[in-house]
Amino acid sequence: MSKESNKIYTVGQMAKLCRISPELLRYLDKQNIFRPVARNPKNNYRCYSEEQLQDLLLIMELRRLGLAYSTISELIDDRDLSAAKSVLEKNLINMRREINLMQNKYHQVVDLLIRVSSSMNLTNRSVSDSDPQIKIEYVPERLVLYTRYPRDIDIELNYIQHYIELLKLVDQFELTCTGPITLVYHDHFSRMFNAGGKEIMGDLEVNISVANSNSECKQLRKFGGFTAATFTYLGHYRELEDGYYKMKEWAESLGHEVSGVSFQELVVGRTITSNEKNFVTKVFLPLEMIAI
């Protein structure tokens, strides 16, 4: 063995050579990932051999690639190529999953930003049910995650419990949400407005579009695939009743018939802003399929 190969480095010297902090070396030692070859008997300082430089450089390279220290420790302890291949493949799968999750979150943030921006644009003009800008459009079919059961449909609280349940299902089945919450009133739309503070039981569904499926989740279904009359309203949900009736009258005046249950998309609601004047709701009444 050459004289150079017997060279011993202190924590500071080793850290300087590898351009890392001394604190990191001490951390790796405490975690049993990279231990010093010996301790100085005079002062108990950590001592590293020149041969250990290769191990430390490997640790830094693997860490730079995003591997956890626990994974790196496995590779350092077992230099068998088959074992290394298995560990790296497993880590690659986890990295792909994390990339997909980040991409999904990115698209959700973009969608939310678009909805918030549209709300800000609407505040610059009056969009009320006194003169709703009604139109007819096609509602594309999409996969939705939903909850549905009879309950009090007080307009102030009608979707909160459902929304919480949806969030739990999203986490449980690793689903990716896209777009706003949709409230579907399987009773006549007039029942959603709780006049006089009385409790009104109604058949309420709350759903949200999802970008992926999961065969284990039983609360996924197709929604859409029809034509509907629609308008967008700026303000609180409780003020939508007149707009619903005007939209129904408008559609019937053109010879159309309501052919399905009403629903509304909470483009911007209480989960985004506390200012009720900035709530944005898109209201729909399904019609018979007609040429637009």
Side-chain angles (χ1 to χ4, degrees):
M1 184 177 293
S2 66
K3 183 178 180 181
E4 185 180 10
S5 65
N6 291 326
K7 187 172 182 179
I8 296 297
Y9 298 94
T10 64
V11 167
Q13 291 170 333
M14 196 73 159
K16 186 175 181 180
L17 278 172
C18 297
R19 297 185 178 182
I20 60 175
S21 68
E23 289 75 16
L24 178 56
L25 277 174
R26 297 186 183 100
Y27 170 80
L28 295 175
D29 181 14
K30 291 178 181 179
Q31 298 299 317
N32 294 321
I33 298 171
F34 183 69
R35 305 296 303 274
V37 70
R39 290 271 186 167
N40 189 317
K42 295 181 180 180
N43 52 27
N44 201 37
Y45 285 178
R46 295 172 175 86
C47 300
Y48 297 91
S49 68
E50 190 162 27
E51 287 79 3
Q52 286 185 290
L53 274 172
Q54 296 181 28
D55 287 345
L56 185 55
L57 290 174
L58 176 60
I59 290 172
M60 295 301 99
E61 176 65 13
L62 294 175
R63 184 59 179 166
R64 186 184 67 82
L65 294 176
L67 274 69
Y69 280 124
S70 57
T71 302
I72 294 173
S73 180
E74 293 181 44
L75 293 174
I76 295 298
D77 292 339
D78 189 350
R79 297 303 180 92
D80 179 73
L81 291 180
S82 296
K85 180 175 181 292
S86 177
V87 170
L88 291 172
E89 287 177 341
K90 180 180 179 181
N91 190 76
L92 189 61
I93 292 173
N94 292 334
M95 291 176 69
R96 285 174 179 167
R97 183 180 296 112
E98 291 176 4
I99 289 172
N100 290 335
L101 288 174
M102 288 304 299
Q103 287 178 332
N104 291 336
K105 289 180 180 180
Y106 171 82
H107 292 304
Q108 291 178 54
V109 171
V110 169
D111 174 75
L112 182 58
L113 177 60
I114 291 173
R115 287 191 277 135
V116 170
S117 298
S118 68
S119 174
M120 294 176 66
N121 292 334
L122 287 174
T123 58
N124 295 326
R125 60 187 179 90
S126 176
V127 183
S128 67
D129 62 354
S130 60
D131 186 25
Q133 298 179 10
I134 305 170
K135 60 182 179 179
I136 295 176
E137 66 179 49
Y138 181 72
V139 180
E141 185 178 80
R142 58 187 185 265
L143 183 66
V144 299
L145 175 69
Y146 74 97
T147 63
R148 175 184 174 183
Y149 48 81
R151 62 161 297 169
D152 176 12
I153 55 174
D154 185 333
I155 195 65
E156 293 288 346
L157 303 171
N158 56 10
Y159 75 96
I160 299 299
Q161 182 176 346
H162 289 265
Y163 182 57
I164 293 173
E165 292 177 13
L166 288 178
L167 292 179
K168 291 180 180 178
L169 291 171
V170 166
D171 291 338
Q172 179 181 350
F173 295 104
E174 298 183 349
L175 300 171
T176 301
C177 301
T178 60
I181 290 288
T182 298
L183 309 184
V184 183
Y185 298 94
H186 290 277
D187 298 317
H188 191 271
F189 61 79
S190 62
R191 291 180 62 83
M192 78 178 77
F193 301 99
N194 189 352
K198 298 178 181 179
E199 288 190 0
I200 300 177
M201 297 302 294
D203 187 359
L204 175 67
E205 172 187 335
V206 177
N207 70 48
I208 188 168
S209 299
V210 292
N212 59 321
S213 184
N214 187 321
S215 59
E216 296 182 0
C217 181
K218 305 305 180 184
Q219 289 174 256
L220 292 171
R221 74 178 184 93
K222 296 290 186 179
F223 180 80
F226 49 76
T227 300
T230 180
F231 72 92
T232 300
Y233 180 78
L234 178 65
H236 198 280
Y237 326 123
R238 74 171 74 90
E239 301 164 356
L240 284 168
E241 186 171 12
D242 288 344
Y244 267 102
Y245 281 107
K246 288 180 179 179
M247 181 166 60
K248 182 175 182 294
E249 292 173 1
W250 177 86
E252 291 174 345
S253 71
L254 297 178
H256 307 315
E257 291 185 3
V258 175
S259 61
V261 296
S262 62
F263 63 97
Q264 57 193 47
E265 294 180 352
L266 307 185
V267 180
V268 173
R270 195 174 296 281
T271 57
I272 300 176
T273 177
S274 59
N275 187 345
E276 297 178 357
K277 294 181 180 180
N278 289 334
F279 288 3
V280 178
T281 307
K282 191 170 184 180
V283 182
F284 296 84
L285 277 180
L287 306 173
E288 289 184 348
M289 296 299 291
I290 59 174
I292 302 177

